[in-house]
Amino acid sequence: MAAGLMKRYREAGVAPPAVMYVDRDCCSPHAHGQSQVKAMFAEWNELQVRLDIWHFMRRFAAGVTTEAHQLYGTFMARLSKCIFELDPDDVAALWLAKQGELLARGVRPVSEKALDKLISRKELALHCRKRTRGVEETTRRIKALIDEMDSEKGRDTLGVPLLDHERIQQVWIDQQRHITCIQDPERFPLYMKTGTLKKGGVELCCYRCARGSTSLESFHLHLNRFIPGTSASDSHFQAYLLEGLMRWNDDRMEEAVRGKSDLRTYSSSEREAMDQLSRKVLKRSLDERYRPPGAYTGKNYSC
Ligand SMILES: [Zn+2]
C-alpha cells in the first residue's frame, strides 16, 4: 500500500506529503534508529512523522484506576494544557468579541476569568489557534502534573487515588520519548483560515486545523456506514466496501466541481427513504446525486 501510494504521487507529479500523523510507530525505541513508518515511506525523505496527540493522551489514561473517578476529567484537561498553549492574540480578540456581545445586551464589562466561562469549546476551537509548547516545557509540566496527582492531592473525597502508582510511573517512563513526536512540525502551517465572522462588533478569524489523525478517523466512521447491517459474508463485505469507496470518490469529484453538499450520510437505506419521500412530497428528488440501486436481473454479473 505504501509503495502504491508513493507511486501514485510520483506518477501524478505531485509534491509528497510533508507531515504524517500516526497512532503508533512514530519513532524508533533505539537511539538514532528510524521510525517504521518513515522506513515504509522511504521515498519521501522529507516526511516528518508525528504522533497523534489524542492517542498520546490516551496512553496516560491507561494509568488511572478508573475513568469514572472524580478527578479524571480534570487530569485529562490539565494534561492537554501541558501540551498545548493558545495563541494569545486569538484569545484576546475572542475576549473582546465576548465583551462586545455583553455590552450590546447592556451588561457591564466583566473580568477575563468571567469571560472565559462564557466562551464555549466550539468557539475556542473555531477562533483560537493552538500550538505545542516544546519538548522541555511539556516534559516539565507533565512530570509536575503526575507528581501532583500521584500524591495525596490525587485522591477523591473518599480517599480513592486517581492514579495507579506503578502503572502511571511506567507510562511516564515509556512515553517520555514521544514528547518529541507530538511537537508541531516546524515550518508547516497547521491552520487554514476558512473565513471571518462578526461577533460583538469584532471581526474574528475562523480556522480549520490539520493536526492529528482526526480527519482520517472520521473517514473510518464513513467506512463503517458503507456496510449495511451488522454482518456480511466476506465477498459481500468487499463488494459493499468497493461500492462505498466508489460513491465516496464520486462525491468528492462532484464536490470539487459543484461545491459542498449538505448531505453527509452514506447509509443507502436512509438515502433511498429520503429520495422516495421527497419524490412523493416535493415531486422531485432532494438529492440529485442519488442513484437508486439497480434491480436484480437474475443474471450473474462479470467485470
Ligand atoms: Zn515517538
Side-chain angles (χ1 to χ4, degrees):
M1 190 197 77
L5 208 54
M6 287 189 288
K7 183 169 163 248
R8 283 175 73 178
Y9 269 80
R10 195 170 56 233
E11 285 176 355
V14 180
V19 186
M20 187 182 294
Y21 277 92
V22 294
D23 59 2
R24 76 192 81 160
D25 301 331
C26 47
C27 56
S28 163
H30 317 290
H32 310 298
Q34 207 185 24
S35 94
Q36 269 187 48
V37 174
K38 195 134 169 58
M40 201 152 65
F41 290 92
E43 217 174 284
W44 296 343
N45 36 35
E46 299 287 307
L47 182 73
Q48 301 189 57
V49 177
R50 288 289 178 273
L51 174 62
D52 178 75
I53 295 178
W54 184 79
H55 282 97
F56 174 76
M57 288 173 58
R58 286 302 306 162
R59 295 176 184 181
F60 283 85
V64 306
T65 49
T66 162
E67 292 189 10
H69 197 281
Q70 280 171 8
L71 289 169
Y72 177 72
T74 315
F75 176 67
M76 292 308 271
R78 284 182 59 188
L79 186 57
S80 167
K81 280 197 182 145
C82 294
I83 299 167
F84 291 119
E85 62 185 353
L86 290 162
D87 183 300
D89 293 338
D90 291 349
V91 178
L94 187 55
W95 274 340
L96 212 63
K98 278 285 170 188
Q99 198 77 265
E101 270 186 343
L102 288 178
L103 278 175
R105 278 193 275 139
V107 182
R108 275 190 295 161
V110 293
S111 70
E112 285 172 354
K113 215 169 181 178
L115 279 177
D116 268 342
K117 288 208 179 101
L118 297 173
I119 296 171
S120 69
R121 275 177 102 147
K122 219 172 153 187
E123 283 174 314
L124 213 57
L126 187 61
H127 303 301
C128 301
R129 284 165 294 180
K130 282 197 284 190
R131 55 181 176 232
T132 50
R133 291 180 186 270
V135 179
E136 270 174 49
E137 178 76 4
T138 294
T139 310
R140 193 182 59 74
R141 282 174 181 256
I142 298 183
K143 172 89 177 68
L145 175 67
I146 292 177
D147 284 348
E148 186 190 325
M149 288 297 199
D150 198 17
S151 72
E152 284 305 306
K153 284 188 188 162
R155 289 170 186 269
D156 68 6
T157 40
L158 294 170
V160 180
L162 167 72
L163 300 175
D164 178 298
H165 176 72
E166 309 261 290
R167 253 190 292 157
I168 196 70
Q169 293 304 332
Q170 193 54 49
V171 168
W172 178 233
I173 291 167
D174 295 341
Q175 299 306 320
Q176 263 181 68
R177 68 183 170 94
H178 296 300
I179 296 177
T180 322
C181 309
I182 57 167
Q183 301 303 317
D184 288 345
E186 276 169 47
R187 298 181 303 279
F188 188 85
L190 284 173
Y191 283 87
M192 203 174 82
K193 191 171 157 185
T194 55
T196 57
L197 193 146
K198 209 152 181 149
K199 194 170 253 189
V202 179
E203 189 111 340
L204 293 173
C205 291
C206 302
Y207 295 106
R208 197 170 69 200
C209 180
R211 184 191 293 112
S213 56
T214 318
S215 55
L216 181 72
E217 271 144 30
S218 309
F219 180 61
H220 287 169
L221 209 68
H222 284 299
L223 281 183
N224 238 351
R225 308 222 167 98
F226 291 164
I227 323 291
T230 50
S231 70
S233 71
D234 48 3
S235 51
H236 288 153
F237 188 94
Q238 191 169 8
Y240 284 136
L241 200 59
L242 286 174
E243 186 254 6
L245 288 172
M246 196 206 76
R247 281 194 286 147
W248 176 270
N249 286 341
D250 250 20
D251 288 353
R252 296 294 83 72
M253 194 104 83
E254 266 203 57
E255 239 178 54
V257 181
R258 273 209 253 174
K260 256 193 161 130
S261 153
D262 293 330
L263 275 170
R264 292 289 163 89
T265 178
Y266 272 85
S267 150
S268 29
S269 54
E270 274 175 22
R271 290 180 77 172
E272 168 75 15
M274 191 183 85
D275 187 65
Q276 284 187 4
L277 284 171
S278 67
R279 278 177 198 283
K280 206 161 145 189
V281 179
L282 305 166
K283 307 283 178 240
R284 68 185 175 88
S285 175
L286 262 183
D287 179 7
E288 286 170 23
R289 295 170 196 194
Y290 181 71
R291 265 163 278 157
Y296 180 61
T297 58
K299 287 183 202 150
N300 288 332
Y301 71 92
S302 56
C303 299

